[in-house]
Amino acid sequence: MKSNKNLILWIELLFALLSLWVLKTVSFYPEHAIGTLRIYVLSMIVLTVSLVLSVRYYQSQHSTIDVDKICEMVQRIDVPAFIWSNDLSVMFANSAMDELLGITGEETEIDNAVVLSNFFHSISVSPKEAGVILSGQTLKTGLVTQNGQKRHIAWTTSVLKKNNTASLLFSIGFETTELENAKMELTKYAQDLLISQTRYDLSMKLSGVGFLLAETVREEYYVSEEAMKFLGISENCISFHDFRKKIHQDDRIKFDDYLVKIRNISNADTYGCQRILEMRIWTNNQYVWYAYQYHENLRNKDGRPIIGGALIDITNEKRKDAKIKNLAFNDKVTGIYNRNKLMHEGAKLYKMAMEAETQGYHYRYWVIVLDIDRFHIINDSCGYEKGDKILKAFAHILCEYTANSGLVARISADNFVLILQRYADDDGEPANTIEQIRESLAELAKEDFAGLSLSCSAGFASMPTPDSHDFKEVLEHAEFALAVGKGELSYLMGYDAKMHQEILYQGEMEKSLSEAIENHYLQLYYQPKVDIHTEKIIGAEALIRWIRPDGTMISPNVFIPIAEKAGMISAISHFVLCEACEQTAEWQKMGLPKIIMSINFASGDFYQANVCEVIRNQMDKFELEPEYLELELTERLALGDINYTVQQMNALREMGILLAMDDFGTGYSSLSYIQLLPLTLLKLDRSFIIEIETDKVAQEIVSAVIKIAKSMDMKTIAEGVEYKPQAEILKEMGCDYIQGYLYGKPMPPEEFQKRLEANT
Ligand code: C2E
Ligand code: MG
Ligand code: MG
């Protein structure tokens, strides 16, 4: 057949050349035109016939498929492939296909048609339909091989030849088993993930725990769904800045410290510990206590640390804590901490303050000791019930300043301690707070305790400072500052390093006290006491002064307590007794008017068994009669051991020595106690006198005290009288004597002598 086709081609070529030659010749020999035209027409016919034959041949060449050849090619393909016609007249599967279907060598020969019809059956499509459905498409099938393996194949089918009755098709399969398996695994993994996510969400919901994950580079938190609800936000992230705004003002210090810390965590750090940050967060229109339990050892892909943890509502725990603490450590009257608890908690805060300092955090604690002015008088005159109410109200005022950080404690009758945690550079503290407290107290008096004027004084110290070693010491410093402030008539006094140095200095001086006396560093000043009617000097109070070589003076309010603590007071008292007796005797010998010399007695002196003997010796030495000497005792001293006091005082009285109750109204006594003591004079404390013109309660108290004293044959003297109207009021009330700047400040002996001379 092939050789025939070639022959026709050659003839066609021959005719074509002949026709071309005829055409060419005709155009050169026009005289033979008619004969040539005939040949030409004939040639054209031959040429057309041969062209049609050629096209046909060409068409037949290009539309006929050599099935054997194709089968041969398919056999060489190493992926499953088969040739088939949808009338199943042609069926050929390659060996890769046989292998896929699990057919061994001989069987292949048997019947490809059976194999393939099985295949079409397995995919539930008849070969006829398959031809239509599959051509130009990809069919994915799952097959279970004879050894039970499940394999996935994607079939692509194309039409090789199509005629009226059947089409010849070629299908090739690509194995997608691995892909499908991976896809399935992925699907399973996604499902597992979904399940665990659901479980996680559910448990978060049930436990009420939210999550915060800090991203320190972008400075923001990833916020879990539950936490989004707490925080009232709709996005699942919030910047550090916005989160901080939701934290209670007093808890922000803690949060800021935490930020400093997490920002500084470097890649190299291997923090592993869990930390807890307790703070109040604004949630649904109120602050709620949350504990943020976070871990610092999580790592990002790039190794950067991630700080994340749970946000847990701890309101109930806080409440329970508060209840337990209340039972164990609280003051019964006010409900706030007692002294024991203060010492315990204070020690913890001291430790925290020291740590914070070493780590460079910028906050410190202020330890403030507060004292309600003249509280004991109020207690005495208004009754304990009212006194307790005032204490409670005062505690309540203080608590407002320690809502979160710091604490409040009542350490004795009217002494409270307030500890504030504030930024280190806030220099306005604690003065601002103390001013506010005083204002609140005045307000309280106006509203709930009509007619009373309530005020308080405060001394404070801060921690950490280089001049303290523990909390006890800081508290002592604050108490010391309070005492110094009171001495200087200031309601507010901060402890500072200068004071500390003074103490150190005095500490050294304690050791050389006798030397100081010898060198006349300690001197007695005398303050006149005058008769309220005649305004003549009837006596003097000897007040000690420590004058340093550079001329600076240290207040006895500062060094007497130190001397008492250090056990040096008896040396001072001895000096005072000698000096005062000698001076009085000298003035008497000079013929100056008779005066009663008062000296202040410290408890260390008073409780010495030989006190009477010591005094008698001095009187004898300077030939002074006992009625020239008056001992001033404070309430605290007198009431330390009431039986002993009464015994000792009786002995002194028997000697003829006068006894005065100093600073009456500032101590712990009530009038009923005073009545037990053989006193000759009651000294009304300066604090009553300061407000006697305006404070009705003070007036009533002073008037009542004067009356009671009179009824007991006791004289009364008012301390700290600075203005004439004060003296006038006291005169009207029946007070006997006056002492104060109005009639002279404490002065050196020479000056006092001049006053005495003028007195005559
Ligand atoms: P005190 O015994 O109550 O002494 C009265 C204090 O009030 C004195 O302070 C005196 O200077 C001050 N004063 C008197 N009148 C006025 C006034 O009108 N206005 C003002 N603002 N103050 C006035 P001073 O001398 O600083 O003594 C303070 C305290 O130190 C004394 O209080 C006393 O408790 C103690 N003290 C002083 N000398 C001795 C002493 O020799 N031995 C002992 N054990 N204690 C002493
Ligand atoms: Mg005195
Ligand atoms: Mg006094």
Side-chain angles (χ1 to χ4, degrees):
M1 169 128 178
K2 212 171 183 180
S3 54
N4 291 347
K5 281 167 193 164
N6 287 345
L7 184 70
I8 295 168
L9 263 181
W10 283 115
I11 297 166
E12 275 172 26
L13 195 65
L14 193 70
F15 272 102
L17 287 172
L18 188 70
S19 311
L20 284 173
W21 175 79
V22 171
L23 277 174
K24 209 179 167 198
T25 317
V26 169
S27 51
F28 281 109
Y29 305 100
E31 63 274 16
H32 307 292
I34 293 173
T36 310
L37 188 67
R38 278 184 196 143
I39 295 167
Y40 178 72
V41 170
L42 189 71
S43 313
M44 283 305 288
I45 291 166
V46 173
L47 188 65
T48 308
V49 171
S50 67
L51 273 174
V52 169
L53 284 173
S54 300
V55 169
R56 279 209 164 183
Y57 172 70
Y58 180 82
Q59 273 179 346
S60 76
Q61 276 294 310
H62 286 85
S63 61
T64 305
I65 288 175
D66 187 342
V67 176
D68 294 343
K69 253 225 154 74
I70 290 178
C71 289
E72 213 174 285
M73 271 165 57
V74 169
Q75 182 59 25
R76 269 183 265 148
I77 299 173
D78 58 1
V79 293
F82 55 97
I83 300 288
W84 54 293
S85 62
N86 50 355
D87 60 357
L88 294 188
S89 60
V90 182
M91 281 292 162
F92 174 77
N94 70 356
S95 46
M97 180 73 186
D98 293 341
E99 197 189 310
L100 172 71
L101 298 174
I103 299 162
T104 52
E106 278 162 44
E107 287 168 88
T108 314
E109 309 282 306
I110 301 168
D111 201 350
N112 267 330
V114 176
V115 169
L116 290 176
S117 63
N118 279 352
F119 166 72
F120 290 118
H121 179 71
S122 78
I123 61 171
S124 313
V125 186
S126 77
K128 219 172 194 117
E129 292 164 335
V132 182
I133 300 169
L134 299 182
S135 64
Q137 292 203 17
T138 304
L139 173 75
K140 287 179 186 166
T141 61
L143 291 168
V144 180
T145 59
Q146 276 194 339
N147 56 10
Q149 259 188 327
K150 179 146 192 182
R151 295 175 70 176
H152 295 268
I153 312 285
W155 300 98
T156 306
T157 303
S158 43
V159 182
L160 293 178
K161 190 183 169 188
K162 202 171 180 180
N163 58 25
N164 293 341
T165 51
S167 305
L168 187 69
L169 298 119
F170 167 63
S171 292
I172 183 162
F174 296 98
E175 176 128 24
T176 58
T177 310
E178 261 179 46
L179 210 71
E180 290 295 330
N181 286 347
K183 212 166 97 185
M184 266 164 57
E185 246 173 65
L186 218 66
T187 316
K188 193 172 169 294
Y189 180 71
Q191 274 171 352
D192 286 352
L193 206 70
L194 192 74
I195 291 168
S196 67
Q197 177 72 35
T198 316
R199 268 191 214 137
Y200 163 84
D201 285 348
L202 204 67
S203 48
M204 288 294 110
K205 233 172 254 175
L206 291 174
S207 65
V209 174
F211 267 92
L212 284 185
L213 213 61
E215 171 44 77
T216 49
V217 177
R218 288 199 302 274
E219 298 246 311
E220 64 179 26
Y221 282 114
Y222 160 76
V223 185
S224 75
E225 208 176 304
E226 204 54 28
M228 278 163 66
K229 278 187 217 152
F230 302 157
L231 301 175
I233 54 172
S234 51
E235 300 277 316
N236 66 355
C237 68
I238 186 169
S239 68
F240 288 175
H241 179 74
D242 288 346
F243 183 74
R244 185 183 184 274
K245 282 200 275 185
K246 289 185 174 286
I247 298 172
H248 191 286
Q249 203 176 318
D250 293 344
D251 301 338
R252 286 185 192 161
I253 285 184
K254 286 193 232 165
F255 183 72
D256 290 347
D257 289 337
Y258 150 87
L259 278 188
V260 170
K261 202 174 199 185
I262 67 166
R263 279 175 181 143
N264 290 335
I265 291 177
S266 74
N267 292 1
D269 285 340
T270 49
Y271 281 109
C273 50
Q274 180 171 301
R275 291 172 192 271
I276 300 182
L277 189 66
E278 290 188 354
M279 55 196 165
R280 276 157 300 171
I281 298 176
W282 186 252
T283 313
N284 301 326
N285 297 326
Q286 59 172 344
Y287 281 108
V288 175
W289 272 108
Y290 282 101
Y292 181 44
Q293 293 187 351
Y294 64 95
H295 255 277
E296 294 168 333
N297 63 346
L298 306 173
R299 298 271 146 186
N300 225 339
K301 262 192 201 157
D302 58 3
R304 275 195 63 78
I306 309 175
I307 296 92
L311 203 57
I312 304 161
D313 184 337
I314 52 163
T315 315
N316 285 340
E317 281 73 8
K318 279 272 166 193
R319 271 194 210 126
K320 270 184 228 153
D321 270 9
K323 257 188 198 166
I324 294 165
K325 277 182 198 160
N326 231 22
L327 292 174
F329 299 109
N330 284 24
D331 171 60
K332 285 195 183 88
V333 178
T334 58
I336 59 173
Y337 286 170
N338 55 21
R339 182 180 262 276
N340 288 343
K341 182 65 179 169
L342 169 77
M343 299 315 287
H344 188 254
E345 290 299 307
K348 279 204 266 179
L349 294 181
Y350 185 88
K351 208 171 147 217
M352 272 169 69
M354 295 305 286
E355 274 175 17
E357 196 185 37
T358 50
Q359 287 169 18
Y361 300 152
H362 37 276
Y363 64 79
R364 62 177 149 175
Y365 291 93
W366 291 104
V367 178
I368 308 170
V369 179
L370 298 119
D371 170 276
I372 302 178
D373 299 330
R374 298 183 301 116
F375 177 73
H376 293 284
I377 311 306
I378 296 164
N379 222 4
D380 263 359
S381 56
C382 307
Y384 288 105
E385 214 175 295
K386 204 164 196 175
D388 282 358
K389 270 190 188 161
I390 293 172
L391 291 175
K392 272 184 211 159
F394 189 59
H396 187 75
I397 291 172
L398 299 183
C399 284
E400 284 172 24
Y401 296 88
T402 59
N404 174 40
S405 56
L407 57 88
V408 179
R410 179 177 172 227
I411 52 169
S412 66
D414 62 335
N415 274 145
F416 291 77
V417 171
L418 171 65
I419 301 183
L420 301 174
Q421 186 194 27
R422 293 290 185 266
Y423 285 108
D425 48 7
D426 194 349
D427 287 335
E429 288 290 359
N432 289 342
T433 304
I434 293 164
E435 287 297 348
Q436 285 169 23
I437 291 169
R438 282 174 60 88
E439 276 169 28
S440 304
L441 199 57
E443 200 68 25
L444 175 85
K446 232 192 264 169
E447 284 170 12
D448 298 346
F449 302 95
L452 263 185
S453 79
L454 286 175
S455 63
C456 65
S457 306
F460 58 87
S462 82
M463 59 187 189
T465 45
D467 47 38
S468 64
H469 301 94
D470 54 23
F471 175 69
K472 194 170 155 268
E473 217 173 323
V474 178
L475 185 63
E476 275 171 11
H477 288 171
E479 285 179 311
F480 181 68
L482 175 68
V484 174
K486 284 206 161 187
E488 293 177 13
L489 276 190
S490 165
Y491 61 81
L492 178 65
M493 181 64 73
Y495 178 85
D496 68 16
K498 249 196 217 159
M499 277 183 194
H500 185 77
Q501 268 161 18
E502 219 162 70
I503 294 171
L504 289 178
Y505 173 71
Q506 285 163 27
E508 282 166 27
M509 291 305 285
E510 278 164 22
K511 290 174 204 147
S512 53
L513 186 63
S514 52
E515 192 190 311
I517 297 167
E518 263 173 43
N519 293 334
H520 300 287
Y521 291 157
L522 295 183
Q523 288 181 21
L524 284 187
Y525 272 38
Y526 299 94
Q527 185 177 31
K529 299 193 278 188
V530 302
D531 185 297
I532 203 161
H533 299 286
T534 62
E535 296 188 355
K536 291 215 160 149
I537 297 173
I538 53 99
E541 180 173 4
L543 293 160
I544 197 157
R545 297 289 176 264
W546 184 330
I547 301 163
R548 287 195 188 127
D550 63 3
T552 53
M553 201 183 278
I554 304 169
S555 161
N557 278 322
V558 173
F559 71 83
I560 293 289
I562 295 168
E564 274 187 295
K565 260 193 206 165
M568 305 300 291
I569 192 69
S570 55
I572 295 178
S573 299
H574 194 253
F575 160 78
V576 174
L577 182 66
C578 289
E579 190 77 9
C581 286
E582 191 178 4
Q583 185 64 74
T584 315
E586 193 187 317
W587 282 332
Q588 297 308 308
K589 276 179 201 152
M590 284 168 71
L592 292 169
K594 179 186 172 182
I595 52 159
I596 296 168
M597 180 60 74
S598 308
I599 62 169
N600 292 282
F601 238 42
S603 58
D605 308 317
F606 190 71
Y607 286 101
Q608 273 173 11
N610 63 349
V611 65
C612 291
E613 201 186 321
V614 171
I615 292 172
R616 199 190 315 269
N617 286 345
Q618 292 304 315
M619 310 243 80
D620 291 348
K621 186 176 166 190
F622 300 110
E623 296 171 352
L624 192 68
E625 293 303 315
E627 69 261 27
Y628 285 86
L629 191 67
E630 185 174 63
L631 299 183
E632 290 188 8
L633 313 165
T634 59
E635 289 173 66
R636 198 187 291 240
L637 178 155
L639 300 176
D641 179 346
I642 187 84
N643 292 331
Y644 180 82
T645 307
V646 173
Q647 198 186 321
Q648 191 80 300
M649 285 174 101
N650 281 334
L652 289 164
R653 277 302 294 131
E654 268 167 35
M655 278 170 62
I657 289 175
L658 301 165
L659 296 173
M661 174 57 65
D662 201 357
D663 304 339
F664 180 73
T666 56
Y668 294 81
S669 63
S670 65
L671 275 167
S672 48
Y673 265 117
I674 297 297
Q675 288 169 21
L676 298 173
L677 308 175
L679 294 165
T680 48
L681 181 76
L682 209 60
K683 296 190 81 174
L684 290 158
D685 191 65
R686 191 170 75 226
S687 57
F688 289 112
I689 312 307
I690 293 170
E691 290 175 62
I692 201 155
E693 288 171 81
T694 51
D695 188 341
K696 275 200 173 157
V697 175
Q699 281 173 14
E700 275 166 26
I701 293 168
V702 171
S703 175
V705 169
I706 292 171
K707 274 186 198 129
I708 292 168
K710 264 199 185 353
S711 73
M712 294 167 64
D713 272 344
M714 256 186 255
K715 297 281 185 199
T716 48
I717 183 167
E719 288 185 286
V721 178
E722 295 186 4
Y723 308 103
K724 198 77 190 164
Q726 293 171 333
E728 289 303 323
I729 293 171
L730 288 161
K731 197 187 314 190
E732 262 175 44
M733 287 177 176
C735 185
D736 300 295
Y737 311 117
I738 280 182
Q739 179 183 351
Y741 293 173
L742 180 64
Y743 295 103
K745 289 188 174 181
M747 54 192 91
E750 311 78 53
E751 215 175 295
F752 188 84
Q753 190 176 320
K754 278 184 200 145
R755 289 286 300 270
L756 211 51
E757 282 162 0
N759 213 29
T760 47

